[in-house]
Amino acid sequence: MGKLSRVFLWTFISLAGALALGMIALHRGEEINALWLVVAAVCCYALGYRFYSKFIAAKVLGLDPLRATPAERLDNGRDFVPSNKWVVFGHHFAAIAGPGPLVGPVLAAQFGYLPGTLWILAGAIFGGCVQDFVILLFSVRRDGKSLTEMAKSEIGRVGGFVAYTAVIAIIVILLGVAALIVVNALKASPWGTFTIAMTIPIALFMGLYLRALRPGKVLETSILGFILVMLAVVGGQWVSVTPSWARLFTFSAPALAVMIIVYGFAASALPVWLLLAPRDYLSTFVKLGTIAVLALGIVALRPTLHMPPLTRFIDGTGPVFAGSIFPFAFITIACGAISGFHALIASGTTPKLISREPEIRTVGYGAMLAESMVAIMATIAACVLQPGVYFAINSPAGIVGQLPAAATATISGWGFPVTAADMQSLAQAVGEQTLFNRTGGAPAFALGMAHIFARTLGGQTLMALWYHFAIMFEALFILTVLDAGTRVGRFMLQDALGHIWKPLGRTSWYPSILATSALIVGAWGYFLWQGVKDPLGGINSLWPLFGIANQLLATVALCVATTIIIKMGRARYVVVTLAPLCWLVAATFTASYQKVLSLNPRIGFLANARQLASSPASSANARLIFNDRLDAAVTAILVGMVALILIESGLEWSRILSGRKPAGVKEAPFIQTRLFSQSGVSQ
Amino acid sequence: MSEHPQLRHSETSEKSPRTALLQRPTRGPLYRLLHTLIAILREIFDEAAYTRYLARHHCPSSRAAYAAFVRESDIASSRRPRCC
């Protein structure tokens, strides 16, 4: 393509993006088509990748095509393997795509579609993609070191300790919230519960098939498992309309919570490879397939967004979670915009697979753009619902009332008309007893997805199947995160406890396995139980806590990145990581301050505890008061630790910039690559 | 893990059997796209890792080999964080 053609192409993309952004930002009073969001996102991502990431690669990081990566130097065919960049891209995307980009945007849709969309676009291009890109490169240049190791070696011991603690905290809170989302999606839903229960025998069958009949044929086995799961989704309809079977699979929220806690413990403590690994494959297969199909569905069907660009809840009085746009939109949507957790993946498996440095741009920056697109799709799925229906599903009974008539009257009073009859017929259409008070985001996402797909195959008659397919997809996905996360947390805890008493660090010593599994499961199980028993639905307090923990981890990652950039002698470009760092510090510290000290009981943990203390004493009240104080303490400890790492980083930057300390980087020594493209070393 | 189709070791005499096995003849763009897509899926679903395991241990695929591969990879995959 000639230079002039390229100029025309990028001018056209810029104009199309500006037009689409203008449409979604300035259009008022009429509903808009979801395709505007897709066009805006694709154009912004293309511009961000083409220009911003290229600038970072060339000027800030100085990607070196001649430098051998650890995958080449330490190639052992197992952990370190030089790989095709698109293979690494797919592998990295599959690892970073979790339930977060699906749930966060759905919850943030209470502000309207505009705040979430703008944050997803800007946050990803200037924050999340940059974080993943730079951390991946820095890990590659340090032989695949983890974020916690880099924090320790580049910032100091406090940095390492804070990063380690933040990772454990985020895992525990994430698992508690993720389990709560599953509980809220499956409570009183025999269809959904049956489908998820069936994934256990299906996974066991897959495990046996893989081991005994077709060793190593995972793709073939996953396709077989997927067909069986689809049969289970269809069979769930029969279960839900057959009273004797429906009774067997109808559970209350506390009962489901207990089951999930027991499952989490078993997954961590027992040698259940036959169940977990095949379920993991099945979950990944369903996840990638569903994301691809949803993207195709949105582009092909071009649904209309019924949610307004901004709702009245930008003032902080929202029923889904309390708090105003700043800072709460920015901690509610983490994974689609910027997520500290990604820094763990970017400094985990991925750096050991990169063949050549220039490919890091595609993998680090590019995969995060794809993840951000998933968040845009989730926003669309939530906003195609009528706002009244969206709020009826996502509002806790403690806010809108227990009875359908009371809930619909409250929601209609907010200016989002909905009737109890509408909700009843919608629940019947998707094969549920009720859709009221299904907080957590998963049911709203599933309904939005069903709403989009019901316009194609089978129309309204297949609405129930689409809804339960989406619920199965999310629950399966989250349960996989849950069992894998519990095991990761258990290993981390064993590593830490091994420093205190050696046998505790032995991963094959059963007493240690049982004790550490119980500690991890007990910790997230407590948060889950707290959410289940919370009259405000749990999401109001737990999702912001998770968002704060995740964004604080991103703060740690950006501190590490900024420190290394300064040590590389590129301080004049430090704004690339310093700007998102400052934004995250502002958002997370403000959110933490408000969650702990706000006088509004719906926002502040301590204010809520005080309000509960002034009401008649009861054991339930005492437990809620304790929970509020615990949440406040956890938030304060996390913020305190990150403040420490900020101070330590600031001191290190000051020492280097003032010349009191030499600006040396701790990279693996340069070795020239032996991997060449056919036309020589090229970008 | 399949190698980049355009990548070659500069000293061809030192090509490992694995490298030689995974190199593919140059075909049309659709073929390359499909080939890359399959390579991505094989990596995500650990099929490529199993192939590497077999090449490393010079053994054919069998129940025993797969069980040994699973044992070897279980600890590593258990420590691998999954994103939120």
Side-chain angles (χ1 to χ4, degrees), chain A residues 75-78 81 83-84 86-87 95-96 99-100 174 211-212 216-219 273 280-281 284 335 341-342 345 349 353 484 487-488 491 495 507 550 674 676-678, chain B residues 1-11 14 18 36 39-47 50 52 56 61-63 66 70 72 74-75 78-84:
Chain A
D75 182 359
N76 60 5
R78 196 174 56 200
V81 185
S83 311
N84 178 311
W86 292 112
V87 172
I96 63 173
L174 161 72
R211 285 219 164 181
K217 300 287 181 193
V218 181
L219 266 169
W273 180 90
D280 193 4
Y281 294 135
T284 307
C335 294
F341 218 104
H342 291 190
I345 314 286
T349 316
L353 306 177
R487 280 158 75 90
V488 169
F491 278 121
D495 287 344
T507 51
N550 197 1
R674 292 168 60 225
F676 292 92
S677 73
Q678 282 164 323
Chain B
M1 177 83 56
S2 62
E3 286 198 353
H4 191 299
Q6 288 185 312
L7 291 178
R8 298 286 187 274
H9 283 278
S10 58
E11 291 168 44
E14 289 183 18
R18 184 172 56 82
T36 306
I40 292 171
L41 291 174
R42 280 176 50 78
E43 190 58 44
I44 291 173
F45 290 95
D46 291 341
E47 284 195 0
Y50 180 51
R52 288 196 297 272
R56 217 168 54 238
S61 177
S62 65
R63 289 180 195 178
Y66 191 65
V70 167
E72 184 188 275
D74 187 36
I75 291 290
S78 296
R79 286 172 177 272
R80 201 179 298 157
R82 306 295 158 85
C83 197
C84 39

